[in-house]
Amino acid sequence: GRAEAASGPVDPNKPQAKSLGYVLDATKVDPKANPNFKPGQMCANCLQVPKGKEGGAEVPCNIFAQRPVSAKGWCKVWVKRP
């Protein structure tokens, strides 16, 4: 149902995640498809993760309405934390 879609870890196969190129493991990003990607970028060090929530294997993401994403993951809206 609808409730299920809005909770739980983000599924990389869902349309929004796919459109953003979300992967569970940043080491598997295709650099040809994502020329902006640099090794070392991952959800754990992205600005979209609320401050103080960076620890743990999964981290909440602002892009996905605070749903958990893999800390080692990556997507196209990755922004360096200042």
Side-chain angles (χ1 to χ4, degrees), residues 3-71:
E4 179 219 20
S7 66
V10 174
D11 179 347
N13 299 309
K14 291 279 194 283
Q16 184 191 10
K18 262 189 155 27
S19 72
L20 296 175
Y22 171 61
V23 291
L24 295 170
D25 182 349
T27 65
K28 297 189 168 53
V29 172
D30 176 358
K32 287 191 198 66
N34 300 285
N36 296 330
F37 175 75
K38 302 275 184 298
Q41 295 179 358
M42 62 182 86
C43 297
N45 58 25
C46 178
L47 188 60
Q48 303 298 346
V49 176
K51 200 157 178 58
K53 307 272 188 178
E54 310 95 310
E58 289 186 328
V59 291
C61 175
N62 290 331
I63 297 295
F64 293 105
Q66 306 278 324
R67 288 170 58 206
V69 293
S70 169

